[in-house]
Amino acid sequence: MTRFRSADVIDRARAEGRSALIAYLPVGFPTLDRSIDAAHVLTQSGVDAIEFGVPYTDPVMDGPVIQQAADIALKNGTRPRDVIAAIDELSGRDCDAALLVMSYYNPILAYGPDAFARDLAAAGGAGVITPDLVPDEGAEWIDAAAKHEVDRVFLVAPSSDAQRLEYVVRSASGFIYAASTMGVTGMRASVGSRARDLVDRTRRAGAERVCVGLGVSTGAQAADIASYADGVIVGSAFVRAILEADDRADAHRRLEALATELRRGVEGA
């Protein structure tokens, strides 16, 4: 098992003259096995990193598409330990992608921050994105992640001022997740115009790698973001592809086609 870190795949993409392509998928949707297979399809179709979502009962930052998928995963009995198992399974396949977790903090707190970081690292995981945890309140998690060499990825938003950006950059590792708009996740006709300014300001605050998410669903949008960001994060569009599929094979075809379109976008930026 080779463990690819966030910086590894972002820097690899940079060396190829492009931004990294990062995909989000909820674990346990539509089943645990199928979520692992879907992630594998994406890693074989040009995706550089996977964010495995931990389904949560109060997803305040998720839009309707991801909420629907998370509801299905929860009804299947998916728990944080299944996310660790999914990463362990995928890291053992022919996979050169970084494997991360996207989770609200309560499931990690219930699992135990040190135990979660330990088990994630042992499974081949690269890091954790915690959208509702600010560094000011994350000392226990920051210490646990550093101890087990797990990336701690925090979010910044268009409303973040220079002082806040500098604090987040000092507290994070791997990359900074720049939310392109204020609001919940979901596909949008256009990505927030303030994203470029946010990336520039975050770099001035000291960030080496800044990736942009929330709203990306087309190759054209991916190309636009790839022209100024180090990574393009896509979630709802991949989840919708699975929701609208007739069966497993159709889901894989849709995922491969979308990943190929997005990869061409980041390569052509």
Side-chain angles (χ1 to χ4, degrees), residues 211-224:
C211 302
V212 172
L214 296 187
V216 182
S217 61
T218 68
Q221 289 174 339
D224 178 48

Side-chain angles (χ1 to χ4, degrees), residues 24-31 55-56 63-76 78 236 238-240 242-243:
Y24 167 91
L25 288 175
V27 171
F29 162 75
T31 66
Y56 186 50
V65 172
I66 291 178
Q67 284 191 28
Q68 182 179 353
D71 285 343
I72 293 170
L74 288 169
K75 289 175 182 177
N76 289 337
T78 306
S236 295
F238 284 126
V239 176
R240 183 179 290 279
I242 299 173
L243 280 169

Side-chain angles (χ1 to χ4, degrees), residues 36-46 90 251-253 255-256 259:
I36 298 170
D37 286 344
H40 187 250
V41 168
L42 293 181
T43 65
Q44 301 301 300
S45 303
L90 187 56
H252 289 183
R253 284 192 294 269
L255 291 171
E256 182 179 1

Side-chain angles (χ1 to χ4, degrees), residues 23-222:
Y24 167 91
L25 288 175
V27 171
F29 162 75
T31 66
L32 178 58
D33 288 344
R34 287 185 62 180
S35 64
I36 298 170
D37 286 344
H40 187 250
V41 168
L42 293 181
T43 65
Q44 301 301 300
S45 303
V47 170
D48 298 290
I50 300 289
E51 298 175 7
F52 281 105
V54 178
Y56 186 50
T57 54
D58 188 24
V60 294
M61 295 182 66
D62 293 332
V65 172
I66 291 178
Q67 284 191 28
Q68 182 179 353
D71 285 343
I72 293 170
L74 288 169
K75 289 175 182 177
N76 289 337
T78 306
R79 297 292 182 267
R81 64 179 179 274
D82 296 311
V83 180
I84 301 294
I87 288 176
D88 188 45
E89 166 70 19
L90 187 56
S91 66
R93 300 188 186 186
D94 180 21
C95 176
D96 62 356
L99 306 178
L100 298 103
V101 172
M102 166 79 87
S103 179
Y104 294 98
Y105 191 53
N106 270 352
I108 296 174
L109 194 60
Y111 193 108
D114 186 79
F116 191 84
R118 177 200 66 210
D119 292 351
L120 177 62
V128 183
I129 303 158
T130 48
D132 64 337
L133 180 68
V134 293
D136 322 49
E137 301 171 358
E140 185 178 10
W141 169 245
I142 290 171
D143 290 345
K147 174 182 175 182
H148 297 286
E149 298 183 335
V150 168
D151 291 333
R152 47 197 187 275
V153 181
F154 294 112
L155 272 66
V156 295
S159 59
S160 302
D161 61 21
Q163 184 177 10
R164 167 55 54 175
L165 291 174
E166 291 173 2
Y167 184 65
V168 171
V169 169
R170 289 197 305 270
S171 304
S173 64
F175 66 93
I176 302 295
Y177 189 127
S180 64
T181 60
M182 304 293 287
V184 299
T185 61
M187 297 185 300
R188 292 175 171 83
S190 62
V191 179
S193 60
R194 299 167 70 186
R196 184 189 294 267
D197 175 66
L198 177 58
V199 170
D200 289 342
R201 292 192 295 115
T202 306
R203 287 203 178 108
R204 289 199 298 271
E208 294 183 27
R209 304 170 193 87
V210 186
C211 302
V212 172
L214 296 187
V216 182
S217 61
T218 68
Q221 289 174 339

